[in-house]
Amino acid sequence: MTTTDDPLALDRQVCFALAVANRAVLSVYRPLLEPMGLTHPQYLVMLALWGESPMSVKAIGSTLQLDSPTLSPLLKRLESMGLLSRKRSLEDERVLLVSLTPAGSALKRKAEKIPPAVVEKLGVSLTELEDLRRVLTRLNNAAIAAGALA
């Protein structure tokens, strides 16, 4: 039996290809984010807030598909870096709102250089990356619908 016939061949596994791609892509981001003082998970939080600020902690978690124990330390660290602030909502004190500080807003200018640098370093076209993102979004949505990500 050849590997193309073997359903358990490592090189045929989507999970393996995704795991390797994840490590490879994050290794491209790491040196681009370092001068900004951000890790990739922190960058994702900032991307969410650059899109909409303020946001509730619950909305950020939902957007990034992160649970509270994972998100809380990220928010605390970004707050200690002076990039965001957390305050209780005046309308509902159970809601914790996260807002960008002026320093967090200003960091967006530096971050705007990240996407084109990633495209260049990966050596694929923007169209290919957009196609990949669409496929991965469909895959993630299917996993969510199947109850894989709750």
Side-chain angles (χ1 to χ4, degrees):
M1 181 184 310
T2 66
T3 59
T4 57
D5 297 328
D6 183 0
L8 296 179
L10 183 61
D11 64 355
R12 292 192 63 203
Q13 305 306 307
V14 172
C15 61
F16 178 66
L18 286 171
V20 171
N22 181 58
R23 285 194 309 273
V25 170
L26 291 182
S27 73
V28 168
Y29 274 90
R30 195 169 296 112
L32 298 171
L33 294 172
E34 262 179 17
M36 295 172 39
L38 296 176
T39 64
H40 190 262
Q42 292 168 343
Y43 175 64
L44 296 178
V45 171
M46 295 303 293
L47 286 170
L49 289 168
W50 287 324
E52 177 184 343
S53 178
M55 284 181 83
S56 70
V57 170
K58 184 176 181 177
I60 295 170
S62 176
T63 298
L64 300 179
Q65 298 180 15
L66 294 175
D67 58 11
S68 184
T70 304
L71 183 57
S72 291
L74 289 172
L75 296 175
K76 285 180 185 175
R77 178 71 178 133
L78 290 167
E79 185 174 37
S80 73
M81 295 166 66
L83 300 175
L84 58 83
S85 64
R86 297 178 299 158
K87 293 187 174 133
R88 294 274 168 208
S89 167
L90 297 176
E91 291 83 33
D92 184 346
E93 67 179 37
R94 296 170 296 176
V95 175
L96 190 58
L97 294 175
V98 180
S99 301
L100 290 169
T101 63
S105 293
L107 193 60
K108 183 178 181 181
R109 284 213 192 274
K110 290 182 182 176
E112 289 170 345
K113 297 174 185 165
I114 301 286
V118 169
V119 171
E120 181 183 331
K121 287 184 179 283
L122 291 177
V124 295
S125 72
L126 185 56
T127 301
E128 289 173 305
L129 287 176
E130 289 170 347
D131 289 345
L132 177 60
R133 187 198 50 77
R134 277 192 288 278
V135 170
L136 290 173
T137 299
R138 281 198 327 263
L139 186 143
N140 290 337
N141 290 340
I144 290 167
L149 296 172

